[in-house]
Amino acid sequence: MIFQIRPDSPIPIYEQIVTQVTFGIASGGLEPGTLIPSVRELAQTLLVHPNTVARAFQELERQGVVAARRGRGMEVTPEAPAACQKLRQDIVRGRIREALREAASSALPAEDVRLLVEEELARVNGQRRRK
Amino acid sequence: MIFQIRPDSPIPIYEQIVTQVTFGIASGGLEPGTLIPSVRELAQTLLVHPNTVARAFQELERQGVVAARRGRGMEVTPEAPAACQKLRQDIVRGRIREALREAASSALPAEDVRLLVEEELARVNGQRRRK
Amino acid sequence: MIFQIRPDSPIPIYEQIVTQVTFGIASGGLEPGTLIPSVRELAQTLLVHPNTVARAFQELERQGVVAARRGRGMEVTPEAPAACQKLRQDIVRGRIREALREAASSALPAEDVRLLVEEELARVNGQRRRK
Amino acid sequence: MIFQIRPDSPIPIYEQIVTQVTFGIASGGLEPGTLIPSVRELAQTLLVHPNTVARAFQELERQGVVAARRGRGMEVTPEAPAACQKLRQDIVRGRIREALREAASSALPAEDVRLLVEEELARVNGQRRRK
DNA sequence: GTGGTCTAGACCACT
DNA sequence: GTGGTCTAGACCACG
């Protein structure tokens, strides 16, 4: 898993970690039983304060997608993939919904909104291919 | 102009006011030379503290879309409509872009993303018609 | 007397009127016994709210440089020229002092400050001749 | 950095803080990468309310000379010194220009103005040495 | 009536 | 600890 942390995003770092782990599990990149990196290790690779990583893990544990294995570390739970796939869809849908709701409230003509959406959709897919 | 404030949104209230006024000017609801509602008046209708409205107005003034007329109120500037139309498009596009970027990073298949977008687009347009 | 009102200056309009009248008297443009324009008249020529002119006159009266003459208007007092010349020097000196004090606190090298002063002095004198 | 706040100046306190920080960066007293004093700390030393300091910092952030580091404080940006040096000169020049413009409009003879300027220049430099 | 500034103090999220 | 937002209410200058 490669994490992309954007420290200056308005989205808190711990939350970025949470969603990226969630996405990682949902897409099968992290399988049940896998030990995820330790707080210290991840903090070092992401250049982030350990407390921040710890908070993200705490949140993930609360959601039941990872569980502490005494003396070994934190492990992806068996129920995680199903849960994360649902979470992922909820998160993505929620963000899209919010964006489009705002677009509607802006009184921009519907066709203009659609145009913007198509442009950005193409843009994102273009980047995806390039990667 | 009808303003919709959501006090529990993660977006600060003063910022919501800023974008709504911007949208109002962009859509022609507020014309140059018009005095926008006074701080106290708007505070009362939105049920927020006058300071919060004042902060939004300061931001709008800084952007040059309204100008304080001492002792009278705040006036929409002549350049405001053009600026706000550009701002509106930037804001809406930015939010859509962020949502789709996250969708892409979620490793959701592109067709699933498009499906979600279509669903939400239909949903929003439905609401619009119903109003 | 020609008044230059700058409505968007940070200096209040009524104060602009006060200092301009003061300067007018100091320079001999307005002599003792002269009737100054009525509130209404001046408000109209300056495109300013009558209240604002009234407040300026009130201030001038308080300073004793003009006095109400029942049924006729407001008149420049005999003591005014001397007082205004002193006032004028105090005002100008005060402003210069403030500007230079700030320059000093900025840690700009003294020679740079002097250079700026010379440039602006030349600039102002240039404009003066052109008028 | 030593800040001098004059609570009774017509210039708002938050603005005094902004210009003093700007001057501090321009003169090299605050270097890029440095954390500036925290809101609470500065509020305590200046004997003003934290909100007032926060407002100044927001303004500085908007100008791009400092950047918030979440949970740590506010950092001087790499571009700040150049920007602040330009700002400083603009501020000082602007104030001098205003003072001299008023002097010119006062119809004080040019030589009298120059005399005042020299007196005040000497005065300020005298104080500077004494410090 | 208008906007602008300031103090006061609460609450929150982040590190 | 850090900054950010908000409510509350005072006071001021201006028109």
Side-chain angles (χ1 to χ4, degrees), chain B residues 39-44 47-56:
Chain B
V39 168
R40 290 162 174 86
E41 190 185 334
L42 194 52
Q44 220 161 9
L47 301 175
V48 301
H49 196 276
N51 284 354
T52 306
V53 179
R55 182 167 177 189

Side-chain angles (χ1 to χ4, degrees), chain A residues 38-75:
Chain A
S38 77
V39 168
R40 280 192 184 177
E41 191 185 333
L42 192 53
Q44 222 161 10
T45 68
L46 297 184
L47 299 174
V48 152
H49 198 283
N51 285 354
T52 308
V53 179
R55 178 162 181 186
F57 282 10
Q58 194 180 346
E59 178 66 15
L60 287 163
E61 192 172 18
R62 203 188 53 74
Q63 294 180 2
V65 304
V66 304
R69 294 290 166 239
R70 252 199 313 264
R72 290 197 288 140
M74 305 200 73
E75 195 178 286

Side-chain angles (χ1 to χ4, degrees), chain C residues 8-21:
Chain C
D8 292 334
S9 157
I11 300 171
I13 294 174
Y14 85 95
E15 201 178 318
Q16 293 183 44
I17 297 175
V18 169
T19 74
Q20 299 220 10
V21 171

Side-chain angles (χ1 to χ4, degrees), chain C residues 105-126:
Chain C
S105 87
S106 80
L108 257 188
E111 53 269 37
D112 289 19
V113 173
R114 164 137 238 136
L115 193 66
L116 283 179
V117 169
E118 294 297 338
E119 280 177 24
E120 294 303 324
L121 216 44
R123 189 171 166 280
V124 163
N125 284 335

Side-chain angles (χ1 to χ4, degrees), chain A residues 22-33:
Chain A
T22 305
F23 288 171
I25 296 173
S27 67
L30 287 170
E31 298 188 1

Side-chain angles (χ1 to χ4, degrees), chain D residues 41-100:
Chain D
E41 190 186 334
L42 194 52
Q44 221 162 10
T45 69
L46 297 183
L47 300 175
V48 299
H49 195 275
N51 283 353
T52 306
V53 179
R55 181 167 178 190
F57 282 11
Q58 278 166 2
E59 178 64 16
L60 288 163
E61 187 172 24
R62 203 191 53 72
Q63 293 181 3
V65 303
V66 304
R69 296 284 166 244
R70 263 194 309 224
R72 292 199 292 132
M74 307 203 73
E75 197 178 295
V76 179
T77 65
E79 319 81 41
C84 287
Q85 281 170 25
K86 184 168 183 342
L87 269 173
R88 173 173 66 169
Q89 179 152 336
D90 289 352
I91 292 170
V92 170
R93 162 173 267 131
R95 294 252 207 266
I96 291 174
R97 174 172 301 176
E98 276 306 307
L100 293 180

Side-chain angles (χ1 to χ4, degrees), chain C residues 65-123:
Chain C
V65 303
V66 303
R69 295 287 167 243
R70 251 200 313 264
R72 290 197 288 141
M74 306 201 71
E75 193 179 289
V76 178
T77 64
E79 317 79 37
C84 287
Q85 280 171 25
K86 179 157 187 352
L87 263 175
R88 171 172 70 169
Q89 179 151 339
D90 288 352
I91 292 171
V92 170
R93 161 172 270 132
R95 295 256 205 257
I96 291 173
R97 175 172 301 176
E98 276 307 305
L100 293 179
R101 178 186 298 186
E102 182 164 49
S105 87
S106 80
L108 257 188
E111 53 269 37
D112 289 19
V113 173
R114 164 137 238 136
L115 193 66
L116 283 179
V117 169
E118 294 297 338
E119 280 177 24
E120 294 303 324
L121 216 44
R123 189 171 166 280

